[in-house]
Structure formats: C-alpha cells, structure tokens
Amino acid sequence: MELAVEAYGRLWSLKIGYDEVFGAVAPGLQLAHATIQAAFERRLQSYEFLGVVEEWQERWKPARRDYELAMIYPFSRGGISGAARDVLAALSQRRNQSNRTGEEA
C-alpha cells in the first residue's frame, strides 16, 4: 500500500506500508519501483521520497534536500510561554536522541 499525492508535476510519496509476512519478496521495493515507473510514464518531473532518508531508497540515488523549520511567536505572555515550551521539548527530544545513539547533544 502506498499513500501518495500528485501535485506540482511531482508524485509525493507520503507513506509505504506492507505486511511483514511478505517481507522476503520486498514488496516495498517493488511498490516504490512501480510508482517511480508510473511517475516517469506520466511525464512527471520527479518522484519525491518524503521523511527520513532510508537506506533502501539509495538504489534510486535520490537528491537529498534538507529543510529547516522557522517558528515565529508573538511578543506576548502566550507567545513567550509557547516558545519556552517548544524549546524545552526540542532540547528534550535532542537529548533523548543522543542518549539512544551515544552522542553528545
């Protein structure tokens, strides 16, 4: 199963899923190959893998584009409170990730 959106001349892959029972025949690879082929046949500009880069995607040699998120908060009690909450959540998430990988935050 693949959930994708065709927009702006591209096919945007949102999610690929399959039953692990069929994992030996690589249904995810077969599905990705078929949808990339379909995007090519429809003369779309590209097929876009979204999300975290996965090792299995490297066989198609995708161009990697990293994105940054900028958040703007109003200068008010609620804005300052929201900014502080978000900064603390991001720091906590970063610390948890570094603890899993054994790296320094």
Side-chain angles (χ1 to χ4, degrees):
M1 185 282 306
E2 179 171 14
L3 178 61
V5 175
E6 183 179 326
Y8 306 105
R10 292 175 162 79
L11 188 61
W12 306 80
S13 176
L14 303 175
K15 180 71 177 162
I16 293 177
Y18 62 90
D19 189 334
E20 286 291 333
V21 172
F22 303 106
V25 295
L29 292 176
Q30 292 182 43
L31 181 57
H33 177 79
T35 52
I36 291 169
Q37 183 176 359
F40 177 78
E41 290 169 357
R42 293 173 63 88
R43 300 189 188 281
L44 298 176
Q45 293 175 13
S46 69
Y47 175 90
E48 301 285 337
F49 291 108
L50 299 178
V52 178
V53 177
E54 300 287 344
E55 186 176 323
W56 64 269
Q57 297 168 341
E58 294 298 323
R59 69 185 65 233
W60 289 285
K61 302 191 183 340
R64 183 177 175 152
R65 290 187 294 275
D66 294 322
Y67 295 93
E68 298 292 327
L69 174 65
M71 299 178 77
I72 300 172
Y73 299 89
F75 190 68
S76 66
R77 181 177 291 169
I80 293 169
S81 174
R85 183 181 58 246
D86 289 347
V87 166
L88 290 174
L91 290 173
S92 176
Q93 182 179 17
R94 189 172 188 183
R95 185 185 70 228
N96 290 340
Q97 287 175 346
S98 67
N99 286 343
R100 283 193 293 264
T101 61
E103 298 174 354
E104 293 258 337

